[in-house]
Amino acid sequence: MDRSTPVLTGVRNFRDVGGLPAADGRTVRHGLLFRSGHLAHATPEDVAALAGLGLRSVIDLRGTADLRAERTDVPVPGSTHRSIALTDPAAGAKFHGLLREGDLATLRAELGHGGGEARMIAAYRNRVVTRTGEHALILRSLAEPDGLPALVHCSAGKDRAGWAIAVVLLALGVPEEAILADYLASNGPAQAYRFRRADGTVPEPGSELWTLLRPVFEARPEYLRAAWDAVREHWLSPEAYLRDGLGLTEEGRRRLWDLLLTDVGLRPDQRRQP
């Protein structure tokens, strides 16, 4: 994390994506693209810190089930809040209800014996194939005149935000290993999502309930790799996914590069066009 990035107390998993290696030896600029969990519990100090970053847009990827459980974001002065839901309303509500209210027997049946991991892998793959329009809109939103600096978030800031940020980084030419490393940073103790059940309890680490829910609340390499597998199965390559799946034109990609990448160390004649 960049040293200038504030530490927030009511917002989980907040970090600057800047500093990652990108196309042509460039890096992603600091202070322009951030990711996090939801802002529903942001403190006044958090809001002041976010406003101090000059945020122009907050892109909220949560669906209706999340909003019912977590409430809407606390507004950040100076920014426009944009909702781009990445969860099917019916499926999201059903799964959210299972996690918050399901008894141990039901959770064992649904999530035990690898069921949690399988469900997460399926969700990542499905999101790649069925949410191309939403991910295309995220790219376009960032490229708008008032699109940056931007914060992209979901509930925990690791799954929906994880793939959305991965898409942006793919468009910027960030290597997949670096994207994976940024994704896995969501497992840090200061980043992990604090999940509360409907009765207000928090699963105790080491308990059976915690073990059953753990695959859902961790960022795991196999989840992101499943998304990349889906990209290659349906579009053969990330480049084709960006171009044909998301409709990202050369002009649109060049604008993202101009906005989000440094040109340190490159002469004009060295700059490769996307």
Side-chain angles (χ1 to χ4, degrees):
M1 181 181 291
D2 180 38
R3 291 180 182 177
S4 64
T5 303
V7 176
L8 307 181
T9 58
V11 180
R12 305 295 292 182
N13 207 5
F14 177 80
R15 59 188 185 273
D16 187 342
V17 182
L20 293 176
D24 293 338
R26 289 181 268 186
T27 59
V28 181
R29 294 182 188 274
H30 284 292
L32 288 178
L33 183 60
F34 302 88
R35 57 180 295 173
S36 75
H38 67 73
L39 308 186
H41 301 152
T43 66
E45 294 77 14
D46 293 338
V47 172
L50 291 171
L53 295 172
L55 287 182
R56 303 300 297 273
S57 59
V58 174
I59 299 177
D60 187 347
L61 308 179
R62 296 177 297 163
T64 53
D66 306 291
L67 294 172
R68 281 197 297 268
E70 300 159 352
R71 303 195 305 272
T72 58
D73 283 341
V74 176
V76 177
S79 70
T80 298
H81 186 276
R82 187 161 198 171
S83 176
I84 304 178
L86 288 181
T87 302
D88 175 79
K94 183 177 180 180
F95 188 50
H96 213 282
L98 169 69
L99 299 180
R100 284 177 52 81
E101 302 171 4
D103 58 29
L104 271 176
T106 303
L107 289 169
R108 285 190 203 108
E110 295 290 336
L111 304 178
H113 304 290
E117 293 90 337
R119 184 184 285 265
M120 293 299 292
I121 287 171
Y124 272 68
R125 292 176 60 88
N126 180 69
R127 194 174 295 124
V128 168
V129 177
T130 65
R131 298 293 173 175
T132 53
E134 288 84 350
H135 288 105
L137 180 56
I138 292 168
L139 292 176
R140 292 198 301 273
S141 298
L142 296 177
E144 291 174 356
D146 291 330
L148 296 170
L151 170 62
V152 179
H153 81 80
C154 53
S155 291
K158 71 175 184 70
D159 297 318
R160 288 164 290 186
W163 182 246
I165 290 293
V167 168
V168 178
L169 296 178
L170 282 173
L172 297 176
V174 176
E176 290 185 9
E177 318 86 74
I179 296 174
L180 178 60
D182 174 71
Y183 168 76
L184 293 176
S186 293
N187 288 331
Q191 283 74 38
Y193 183 52
R194 291 174 179 169
F195 178 72
R196 288 187 179 276
R197 299 265 287 166
D199 60 6
T201 60
V202 176
E204 184 71 22
S207 67
E208 182 182 7
L209 178 59
W210 179 83
T211 300
L212 289 168
L213 295 178
R214 187 177 179 184
V216 178
F217 294 106
E218 282 186 343
R220 297 187 174 183
E222 53 266 36
Y223 299 164
L224 198 61
R225 288 177 180 143
W228 284 329
D229 288 345
V231 164
R232 291 185 171 92
E233 288 168 14
H234 287 82
W235 291 277
L236 301 182
S237 71
E239 292 295 319
Y241 165 66
L242 292 168
R243 183 186 64 246
D244 303 330
L246 305 187
L248 182 63
T249 63
E250 287 191 9
E251 180 183 0
R253 194 171 188 185
R254 192 177 302 117
R255 176 161 174 76
L256 288 172
W257 283 21
D258 290 343
L259 289 170
L260 283 164
L261 297 185
T262 65
D263 283 333
V264 175
L266 290 180
R267 301 190 309 269
D269 62 305
Q270 292 175 310
R271 297 174 189 169
R272 178 174 58 86
Q273 296 300 316

